[in-house]
Amino acid sequence: MIIRPRRLRKSQAIRNLTAETRLNPSMLIYPVFVREGKNILEDIPAMPGQKRYSPDKLPIILERAAKNKIGGILLFGIPEHKDEIASSAYDDNGVIQQAIKISKREFPELVIIGDVCMCEYTSHGHCGLIKNGEVDNDTTLEVLAKIALSQAQAGADIVAPSDMMDGHTQAIRSKLDANNLTDTLICSYAVKYASAFYGPFREAAGSAPAFGDRKTYQMDPRNSREAIKEAILDVNEGSDIIIVKPGLPYLDVLKTVKENVNVPVASYSVSGEYSMMKAASLNGWLDEKKVMSEAAISMTRAGADILITYYALELAEFMLNGEL
């Protein structure tokens, strides 16, 4: 035999040399839940190993993120006050704004991303304003733009609208530019499916809808061509980065989107993916280190330039130690 593929697998050194997919800590983003208050450091039962932090406790996890040289932090706020218009989300002294200011003051080298949505801040748990019992797209856009502006003025490097309203990127880009924030990036959740894999997140952030579901604005899991339309729309409206969410169940969509846009594409390995791997590992059914690494490789192999994952810190440590 002249061609023997196994020659390229003969040792770890050869496998490392010829690997088609390569990961780096700088491509990782770690999602963090920030709860309003002080001296809060509490476990999230549905996501073992993850915690909620009050803004004053945030430096604990930021220090580890900076040490591990990860690409960025994605902040989700959990306010004490909720109402129908999500007013806490654009309060200049709100929990997310406090978190952004502390993060940039203490660790200016970290890229700080603010999640722009209303579900954690509304009394009804939906991602937009309610009109006649439905989420009203167009009136929601102005609120989303106000939230993004408030986060950018607090110091966020990137704002990430996760609401799935039509036209959200254009509304946010216009608001930022009108306020001389032309350098603030938009990382849009352009392709976000109405997924059952978000369950643990909703416990962590207290964002479950009080009625109905989100299927009228988040995407139908049966559709993939629609993802191209959503992604291109957001790119044309000014998104600098787009997200495909969830991760592992949508690798085909990730690959298709990557082939059709000319901006960096992120894959979000969501809470349900994390909790499944964590639960199976705690029960001794899976090797946690190996499955988290394989999952990260698979999303990168499918086309992810950026990987948003609750395993970001561990993955970065493996990479820095030459184990991944």
Side-chain angles (χ1 to χ4, degrees), residues 74-89:
L74 175 57
L75 296 173
F76 293 94
I78 307 168
E80 290 184 352
H81 171 74
K82 298 187 179 190
D83 56 33
E84 292 191 355
I85 60 173
S87 61
S88 295

Side-chain angles (χ1 to χ4, degrees), residues 94-172:
V95 61
I96 196 79
Q97 289 79 6
Q98 293 178 43
I100 291 168
K101 292 172 185 176
I102 289 173
S103 300
K104 293 309 296 182
R105 184 180 70 238
E106 300 293 328
F107 295 90
E109 72 277 18
L110 280 175
V111 174
I112 301 300
I113 307 164
D115 178 76
V116 176
C117 199
M118 297 170 62
C119 60
E120 299 107 310
Y121 303 87
T122 53
S123 52
H124 47 72
H126 276 286
C127 302
L129 298 176
I130 302 299
K131 186 176 181 180
N132 298 323
E134 301 285 344
V135 174
D136 187 69
N137 191 96
D138 293 5
T139 55
T140 295
L141 297 180
E142 178 57 28
V143 179
L144 295 171
K146 288 170 65 176
I147 296 170
L149 176 61
S150 179
Q151 292 182 3
Q153 289 176 332
D157 301 289
I158 303 174
V159 291
S162 61
D163 53 278
M164 286 299 288
M165 298 296 119
D166 294 339
H168 63 176
T169 297
Q170 183 176 343
I172 290 170

Side-chain angles (χ1 to χ4, degrees), residues 108 153 285 306:
Q153 289 176 332
W285 300 333
I306 298 166

